[in-house]
Amino acid sequence: MPRTLNIQRLVGYGVLAVFCFVSLLPVWMALKTAITFPSDVFTSADSLWTDRITFGNFLRVLGLPSDVPPPANTGSPIDFMIALRNSVVYTGLLVSGQLFFSSLAAYAFARLRFPGRDALFYSFIAATMIPSIVLFIPNFILIRQLGLLNTFAGMVAPNILMLPFAVFFLRQFFLSTPKELEEAARLDGLNWFRVYWHIALPLQRGPLATLAILLSIQAWNDFFWPFLVGQKENVQVMAVALANYQSQTGQGQPDWTGLMAAVMLSIIPVLVLLVFFGRRIVESLQTSGMK
Protein backbone atom coordinates (compact mmCIF):
# COMPACT_ATOMS: atom_id res chain seq x y z
CA MET A 1 0.00 0.00 0.00
CA PRO A 2 2.73 2.62 0.79
CA ARG A 3 4.46 1.84 -2.50
CA THR A 4 1.17 2.30 -4.38
CA LEU A 5 0.65 5.64 -2.68
CA ASN A 6 4.16 6.75 -3.61
CA ILE A 7 3.57 5.85 -7.26
CA GLN A 8 0.28 7.74 -7.28
CA ARG A 9 1.97 10.75 -5.72
CA LEU A 10 4.73 10.68 -8.32
CA VAL A 11 2.19 10.46 -11.12
CA GLY A 12 0.28 13.38 -9.62
CA TYR A 13 3.43 15.48 -9.34
CA GLY A 14 4.31 14.60 -12.92
CA VAL A 15 0.90 15.74 -14.19
CA LEU A 16 1.19 18.97 -12.19
CA ALA A 17 4.67 19.56 -13.61
CA VAL A 18 3.37 19.18 -17.15
CA PHE A 19 0.52 21.62 -16.52
CA CYS A 20 2.93 24.11 -14.90
CA PHE A 21 5.27 23.87 -17.86
CA VAL A 22 2.46 24.44 -20.36
CA SER A 23 1.08 27.36 -18.33
CA LEU A 24 4.43 29.10 -17.75
CA LEU A 25 5.95 28.54 -21.20
CA PRO A 26 4.25 31.62 -22.79
CA VAL A 27 5.46 33.80 -19.91
CA TRP A 28 8.97 32.42 -20.28
CA MET A 29 8.99 33.07 -24.03
CA ALA A 30 7.79 36.63 -23.44
CA LEU A 31 10.59 37.17 -20.94
CA LYS A 32 13.12 35.66 -23.35
CA THR A 33 11.99 37.98 -26.12
CA ALA A 34 12.10 40.97 -23.78
CA ILE A 35 15.80 40.43 -23.02
CA THR A 36 16.75 39.73 -26.65
CA PHE A 37 18.34 42.21 -29.06
CA PRO A 38 15.88 43.20 -31.82
CA SER A 39 18.21 41.82 -34.45
CA ASP A 40 18.24 38.38 -32.77
CA VAL A 41 14.49 37.90 -32.36
CA PHE A 42 13.98 35.64 -35.37
CA THR A 43 17.35 33.89 -35.27
CA SER A 44 16.66 32.62 -31.72
CA ALA A 45 12.91 32.03 -32.17
CA ASP A 46 13.28 28.24 -31.98
CA SER A 47 15.27 28.34 -28.73
CA LEU A 48 14.25 28.71 -25.12
CA TRP A 49 17.16 31.06 -24.50
CA THR A 50 19.09 33.74 -26.35
CA ASP A 51 22.83 34.04 -26.86
CA ARG A 52 22.96 37.77 -26.12
CA ILE A 53 21.09 39.28 -23.19
CA THR A 54 20.15 42.95 -22.83
CA PHE A 55 17.93 44.94 -20.52
CA GLY A 56 17.90 47.90 -22.88
CA ASN A 57 14.39 47.02 -24.07
CA PHE A 58 13.03 47.63 -20.56
CA LEU A 59 14.90 50.95 -20.36
CA ARG A 60 13.57 52.31 -23.63
CA VAL A 61 10.02 51.22 -22.77
CA LEU A 62 10.31 53.21 -19.55
CA GLY A 63 11.63 56.20 -21.50
CA LEU A 64 15.17 55.90 -20.09
CA PRO A 65 18.41 56.09 -22.09
CA SER A 66 19.12 52.77 -23.77
CA ASP A 67 21.79 51.38 -26.05
CA VAL A 68 19.21 49.26 -27.89
CA PRO A 69 17.60 51.21 -30.76
CA PRO A 70 14.05 50.29 -31.75
CA PRO A 71 13.61 48.38 -35.00
CA ALA A 72 12.76 50.25 -38.17
CA ASN A 73 9.12 50.80 -39.22
CA THR A 74 7.84 50.71 -35.65
CA GLY A 75 5.09 52.93 -34.32
CA SER A 76 5.32 55.67 -31.77
CA PRO A 77 6.74 54.43 -28.46
CA ILE A 78 4.52 53.49 -25.55
CA ASP A 79 4.24 56.11 -22.82
CA PHE A 80 4.49 53.39 -20.24
CA MET A 81 4.17 55.59 -17.17
CA ILE A 82 0.95 57.24 -18.39
CA ALA A 83 -0.54 53.88 -19.33
CA LEU A 84 0.48 52.49 -15.94
CA ARG A 85 -1.10 55.46 -14.16
CA ASN A 86 -4.31 55.03 -16.14
CA SER A 87 -4.46 51.31 -15.33
CA VAL A 88 -3.98 52.04 -11.63
CA VAL A 89 -6.71 54.71 -11.64
CA TYR A 90 -9.11 52.53 -13.63
CA THR A 91 -8.53 49.49 -11.42
CA GLY A 92 -8.74 51.51 -8.21
CA LEU A 93 -12.02 53.22 -9.13
CA LEU A 94 -13.63 50.04 -10.40
CA VAL A 95 -12.59 47.79 -7.52
CA SER A 96 -13.41 50.29 -4.76
CA GLY A 97 -16.89 50.88 -6.18
CA GLN A 98 -17.57 47.20 -6.73
CA LEU A 99 -16.47 46.32 -3.20
CA PHE A 100 -18.60 48.99 -1.55
CA PHE A 101 -21.83 48.50 -3.48
CA SER A 102 -21.52 44.71 -3.69
CA SER A 103 -20.91 44.40 0.05
CA LEU A 104 -23.84 46.74 0.73
CA ALA A 105 -26.16 44.62 -1.42
CA ALA A 106 -24.81 41.39 0.04
CA TYR A 107 -25.45 42.58 3.59
CA ALA A 108 -29.00 43.62 2.67
CA PHE A 109 -29.70 40.19 1.16
CA ALA A 110 -28.18 38.48 4.19
CA ARG A 111 -29.81 40.44 7.05
CA LEU A 112 -32.69 42.65 5.96
CA ARG A 113 -36.15 41.19 5.55
CA PHE A 114 -38.36 42.65 2.83
CA PRO A 115 -40.98 41.23 0.44
CA GLY A 116 -39.48 39.35 -2.49
CA ARG A 117 -35.96 39.31 -1.04
CA ASP A 118 -35.13 35.75 -2.04
CA ALA A 119 -36.75 36.04 -5.47
CA LEU A 120 -34.81 39.25 -6.11
CA PHE A 121 -31.56 37.63 -5.00
CA TYR A 122 -31.99 34.59 -7.22
CA SER A 123 -32.96 36.82 -10.13
CA PHE A 124 -29.84 38.85 -9.52
CA ILE A 125 -27.68 35.74 -9.50
CA ALA A 126 -29.39 34.53 -12.68
CA ALA A 127 -28.02 37.65 -14.39
CA THR A 128 -24.65 35.90 -14.49
CA MET A 129 -26.02 33.78 -17.35
CA ILE A 130 -26.34 36.85 -19.60
CA PRO A 131 -23.22 37.12 -21.80
CA SER A 132 -21.41 40.38 -21.17
CA ILE A 133 -20.92 40.92 -24.90
CA VAL A 134 -24.68 41.51 -25.22
CA LEU A 135 -24.44 44.59 -22.97
CA PHE A 136 -21.56 46.32 -24.76
CA ILE A 137 -23.62 48.00 -27.50
CA PRO A 138 -26.38 49.51 -25.27
CA ASN A 139 -23.79 50.58 -22.70
CA PHE A 140 -21.67 52.22 -25.38
CA ILE A 141 -24.67 54.09 -26.80
CA LEU A 142 -25.60 55.31 -23.31
CA ILE A 143 -22.07 56.46 -22.49
CA ARG A 144 -21.79 58.28 -25.83
CA GLN A 145 -25.12 60.06 -25.33
CA LEU A 146 -24.00 61.14 -21.86
CA GLY A 147 -20.80 62.60 -23.33
CA LEU A 148 -18.55 60.36 -21.24
CA LEU A 149 -16.37 58.91 -23.99
CA ASN A 150 -12.63 59.06 -23.24
CA THR A 151 -13.23 59.68 -19.54
CA PHE A 152 -12.65 57.50 -16.52
CA ALA A 153 -16.30 57.99 -15.54
CA GLY A 154 -17.45 56.44 -18.80
CA MET A 155 -14.98 53.58 -18.49
CA VAL A 156 -16.08 52.52 -15.01
CA ALA A 157 -19.78 53.47 -15.10
CA PRO A 158 -21.28 50.17 -16.40
CA ASN A 159 -19.48 47.94 -13.88
CA ILE A 160 -18.79 50.07 -10.80
CA LEU A 161 -22.01 49.31 -8.95
CA MET A 162 -22.31 45.57 -8.32
CA LEU A 163 -21.18 42.19 -9.59
CA PRO A 164 -23.40 39.11 -9.08
CA PHE A 165 -20.40 36.97 -8.10
CA ALA A 166 -19.21 39.53 -5.55
CA VAL A 167 -22.68 39.80 -4.00
CA PHE A 168 -23.04 36.03 -3.75
CA PHE A 169 -19.49 35.63 -2.39
CA LEU A 170 -19.89 38.22 0.39
CA ARG A 171 -23.44 37.18 1.28
CA GLN A 172 -22.15 33.76 2.30
CA PHE A 173 -19.82 35.36 4.85
CA PHE A 174 -22.36 37.88 6.14
CA LEU A 175 -24.73 34.99 6.85
CA SER A 176 -22.08 33.45 9.10
CA THR A 177 -21.63 36.62 11.18
CA PRO A 178 -23.04 36.20 14.72
CA LYS A 179 -26.37 37.96 14.89
CA GLU A 180 -25.88 38.76 18.57
CA LEU A 181 -23.31 41.46 17.74
CA GLU A 182 -25.65 43.17 15.31
CA GLU A 183 -28.64 42.89 17.64
CA ALA A 184 -26.63 44.46 20.46
CA ALA A 185 -25.64 47.31 18.16
CA ARG A 186 -29.27 47.81 17.16
CA LEU A 187 -30.28 47.98 20.83
CA ASP A 188 -27.64 50.69 21.31
CA GLY A 189 -29.39 52.80 18.68
CA LEU A 190 -27.36 52.13 15.53
CA ASN A 191 -29.23 52.10 12.25
CA TRP A 192 -28.71 49.33 9.72
CA PHE A 193 -26.08 51.21 7.73
CA ARG A 194 -23.96 51.91 10.80
CA VAL A 195 -24.28 48.28 11.86
CA TYR A 196 -23.08 47.26 8.39
CA TRP A 197 -20.23 49.79 8.39
CA HIS A 198 -18.97 49.45 11.96
CA ILE A 199 -19.83 45.84 12.85
CA ALA A 200 -20.38 43.54 9.88
CA LEU A 201 -17.84 44.94 7.41
CA PRO A 202 -14.77 44.91 9.71
CA LEU A 203 -15.45 41.25 10.54
CA GLN A 204 -15.08 40.31 6.87
CA ARG A 205 -11.66 41.80 6.14
CA GLY A 206 -10.30 38.50 4.87
CA PRO A 207 -13.06 37.87 2.29
CA LEU A 208 -13.00 41.53 1.28
CA ALA A 209 -9.24 41.36 0.70
CA THR A 210 -9.65 38.19 -1.34
CA LEU A 211 -12.41 39.69 -3.44
CA ALA A 212 -10.37 42.85 -3.93
CA ILE A 213 -7.49 40.79 -5.33
CA LEU A 214 -9.73 38.86 -7.72
CA LEU A 215 -11.47 42.00 -8.94
CA SER A 216 -8.15 43.84 -9.29
CA ILE A 217 -6.72 41.12 -11.53
CA GLN A 218 -9.87 41.15 -13.66
CA ALA A 219 -9.91 44.94 -13.98
CA TRP A 220 -6.16 45.12 -14.68
CA ASN A 221 -6.52 42.72 -17.61
CA ASP A 222 -9.74 44.28 -18.92
CA PHE A 223 -9.41 45.23 -22.58
CA PHE A 224 -12.54 45.35 -24.73
CA TRP A 225 -14.60 47.95 -22.85
CA PRO A 226 -11.63 50.32 -22.21
CA PHE A 227 -10.73 49.87 -25.87
CA LEU A 228 -14.21 51.03 -26.94
CA VAL A 229 -14.53 53.94 -24.53
CA GLY A 230 -11.00 55.12 -23.69
CA GLN A 231 -8.93 55.60 -26.83
CA LYS A 232 -7.24 58.89 -25.92
CA GLU A 233 -3.80 58.69 -24.35
CA ASN A 234 -4.82 60.48 -21.14
CA VAL A 235 -7.21 57.61 -20.24
CA GLN A 236 -5.70 54.71 -22.21
CA VAL A 237 -5.03 51.71 -19.98
CA MET A 238 -2.05 49.39 -20.37
CA ALA A 239 -3.80 46.63 -22.35
CA VAL A 240 -5.14 49.14 -24.89
CA ALA A 241 -1.79 50.93 -25.17
CA LEU A 242 -0.02 47.64 -25.93
CA ALA A 243 -2.60 46.69 -28.57
CA ASN A 244 -2.36 50.10 -30.25
CA TYR A 245 1.43 49.95 -30.24
CA GLN A 246 1.37 46.59 -31.98
CA SER A 247 -1.14 47.77 -34.61
CA GLN A 248 0.88 50.90 -35.53
CA THR A 249 3.51 48.98 -37.48
CA GLY A 250 1.44 48.63 -40.64
CA GLN A 251 3.13 46.26 -43.09
CA GLY A 252 6.33 46.12 -41.05
CA GLN A 253 7.23 43.78 -38.22
CA PRO A 254 6.11 44.86 -34.74
CA ASP A 255 8.72 45.79 -32.16
CA TRP A 256 8.46 42.41 -30.45
CA THR A 257 11.26 43.06 -27.97
CA GLY A 258 9.81 46.37 -26.79
CA LEU A 259 6.31 44.95 -26.77
CA MET A 260 7.30 41.94 -24.67
CA ALA A 261 9.30 44.16 -22.31
CA ALA A 262 6.20 46.30 -21.75
CA VAL A 263 4.09 43.18 -21.23
CA MET A 264 6.48 41.82 -18.62
CA LEU A 265 6.49 45.15 -16.78
CA SER A 266 2.69 45.33 -16.91
CA ILE A 267 2.18 41.93 -15.25
CA ILE A 268 4.45 42.68 -12.29
CA PRO A 269 1.56 44.05 -10.12
CA VAL A 270 -0.52 40.95 -10.85
CA LEU A 271 2.38 38.63 -10.01
CA VAL A 272 2.97 40.46 -6.74
CA LEU A 273 -0.68 40.03 -5.76
CA LEU A 274 -0.65 36.33 -6.61
CA VAL A 275 2.64 35.63 -4.82
CA PHE A 276 1.69 37.33 -1.56
CA PHE A 277 -2.06 36.69 -1.45
CA GLY A 278 -2.59 33.55 -3.56
CA ARG A 279 -3.09 31.31 -0.51
CA ARG A 280 -5.72 33.65 0.91
CA ILE A 281 -7.66 33.48 -2.37
CA VAL A 282 -7.75 29.68 -2.29
CA GLU A 283 -8.70 29.53 1.40
CA SER A 284 -11.56 32.01 1.04
CA LEU A 285 -12.95 30.27 -2.04
CA GLN A 286 -12.85 26.93 -0.22
CA THR A 287 -14.59 28.44 2.78
CA SER A 288 -17.34 30.03 0.69
CA GLY A 289 -17.82 26.72 -1.12
CA MET A 290 -18.36 24.86 2.13
CA LYS A 291 -20.89 27.46 3.23
Side-chain angles (χ1 to χ4, degrees):
M1 182 66 67
R3 184 175 180 179
T4 303
L5 292 177
N6 290 333
I7 294 175
Q8 293 176 350
R9 181 174 297 179
L10 290 176
V11 172
Y13 285 151
V15 173
L16 288 176
V18 171
F19 277 106
C20 289
F21 176 78
V22 174
S23 301
L24 296 178
L25 182 60
V27 180
W28 176 257
M29 295 303 296
L31 177 61
K32 193 263 294 189
T33 306
I35 60 176
T36 301
F37 281 91
S39 58
D40 298 340
V41 170
F42 297 103
T43 58
S44 62
D46 58 346
S47 174
L48 293 177
W49 193 243
T50 180
D51 296 331
R52 297 190 301 167
I53 298 176
T54 179
F55 293 99
N57 297 314
F58 293 96
L59 295 177
R60 63 187 179 87
V61 165
L62 293 172
L64 302 175
S66 173
D67 58 347
V68 180
N73 300 323
T74 57
S76 58
I78 303 173
D79 197 330
F80 185 84
M81 299 309 297
I82 291 181
L84 178 64
R85 180 206 65 186
N86 295 338
S87 290
V88 171
V89 172
Y90 174 75
T91 302
L93 290 174
L94 199 60
V95 173
S96 59
Q98 289 174 344
L99 283 179
F100 175 72
F101 292 111
S102 296
S103 62
L104 201 61
Y107 185 73
F109 282 127
R111 285 291 183 259
L112 301 185
R113 295 186 178 275
F114 51 89
R117 181 191 65 174
D118 293 337
L120 181 61
F121 174 72
Y122 292 124
S123 300
F124 187 71
I125 296 301
T128 57
M129 295 186 292
I130 301 176
S132 59
I133 192 68
V134 177
L135 304 176
F136 280 140
I137 294 178
N139 284 336
F140 178 80
I141 294 174
L142 177 61
I143 294 301
R144 185 183 61 182
Q145 291 176 346
L146 293 175
L148 297 178
L149 291 178
N150 295 307
T151 63
F152 285 111
M155 293 169 63
V156 303
N159 300 313
I160 197 172
L161 292 179
M162 286 177 287
L163 288 178
F165 167 74
V167 174
F168 173 79
F169 181 80
L170 292 175
R171 176 179 175 271
Q172 300 301 108
F173 290 95
F174 283 131
L175 287 173
S176 65
T177 304
K179 292 184 178 180
E180 292 77 11
L181 295 175
E182 300 172 1
E183 292 172 355
R186 291 284 293 168
L187 290 175
D188 288 339
L190 296 184
N191 57 33
W192 278 114
F193 180 80
R194 294 184 65 185
V195 172
Y196 151 81
W197 187 257
H198 294 288
I199 305 297
L201 204 61
L203 293 176
Q204 308 301 338
R205 292 177 181 175
L208 285 172
T210 301
L211 187 60
I213 296 168
L214 295 175
L215 296 178
S216 297
I217 295 174
Q218 179 180 349
W220 188 267
N221 295 324
D222 198 4
F223 170 75
F224 191 64
W225 179 252
F227 176 76
L228 291 177
V229 180
Q231 280 288 333
K232 288 188 177 180
E233 187 177 355
N234 61 333
V235 295
Q236 198 174 79
V237 298
M238 183 65 65
V240 179
L242 293 175
N244 289 340
Y245 178 73
Q246 181 181 359
S247 63
Q248 287 173 2
T249 55
Q251 299 299 324
Q253 291 292 339
D255 178 15
W256 292 117
T257 56
L259 188 62
M260 292 301 104
V263 168
M264 295 307 300
L265 291 174
S266 67
I267 66 175
I268 288 178
V270 178
L271 291 178
V272 171
L273 287 175
L274 291 178
V275 168
F276 287 97
F277 301 103
R279 183 179 296 274
R280 173 166 290 183
I281 295 175
V282 175
E283 291 176 351
S284 294
L285 290 177
Q286 290 176 344
T287 304
S288 64
M290 289 186 294
K291 293 177 182 179

